[in-house]
Amino acid sequence: VTDKFTESMYVLANEPSVALYRLQEHVRRSLPELAQHKSDMQSWEEQSQGAIYTVEYACSAIKNMTDSSVYFRSIDSLLKQAIAIKDQLNAAQG
């Protein structure tokens, strides 16, 4: 009985340390890979932020071009008027 009791106490006393050893072993094996993944994710995040900025800038430029269509119509109308007046002047001189 004492042998079994001693063996049980020995197993119970060492079981947590074996579990902690296994955890430490696992962390040592997987930590470099996890650190690499973290570094890759940060790099991808930076690239994504750059792409998002570029797309937002392009969308803003397109919106500004769309908003300026009023000015282009006005310029077109003024050019047509100028051409008509020039034609009138040429007809009056000729």
Side-chain angles (χ1 to χ4, degrees):
V1 171
T2 57
D3 285 343
K4 289 293 182 186
F5 180 73
T6 304
E7 184 180 339
S8 295
M9 290 304 291
Y10 179 76
V11 169
L12 287 175
N14 287 321
E15 186 61 30
S17 63
V18 170
L20 291 174
Y21 173 76
R22 294 290 183 209
L23 282 171
Q24 180 184 18
E25 189 178 59
H26 174 71
V27 168
R28 281 189 181 168
R29 268 189 277 129
S30 63
L31 189 63
E33 186 178 344
L34 290 173
Q36 182 62 40
H37 283 297
K38 179 182 177 185
S39 175
D40 291 345
M41 292 298 288
Q42 287 174 336
S43 173
W44 293 333
E45 180 185 14
E46 290 173 5
Q47 290 175 358
S48 298
Q49 291 298 325
I52 289 170
Y53 174 78
T54 302
V55 169
E56 287 176 348
Y57 183 76
C59 288
S60 173
I62 290 171
K63 183 182 179 302
N64 288 337
M65 288 174 66
T66 304
D67 292 344
S68 66
S69 65
V70 173
Y71 302 111
F72 285 119
R73 278 190 233 117
S74 175
I75 291 169
D76 183 51
S77 172
L78 291 172
L79 285 172
K80 286 179 181 177
Q81 288 176 3
I83 291 171
I85 292 172
K86 176 66 175 155
D87 288 341
Q88 288 176 356
L89 287 174
N90 287 342
Q93 286 179 353

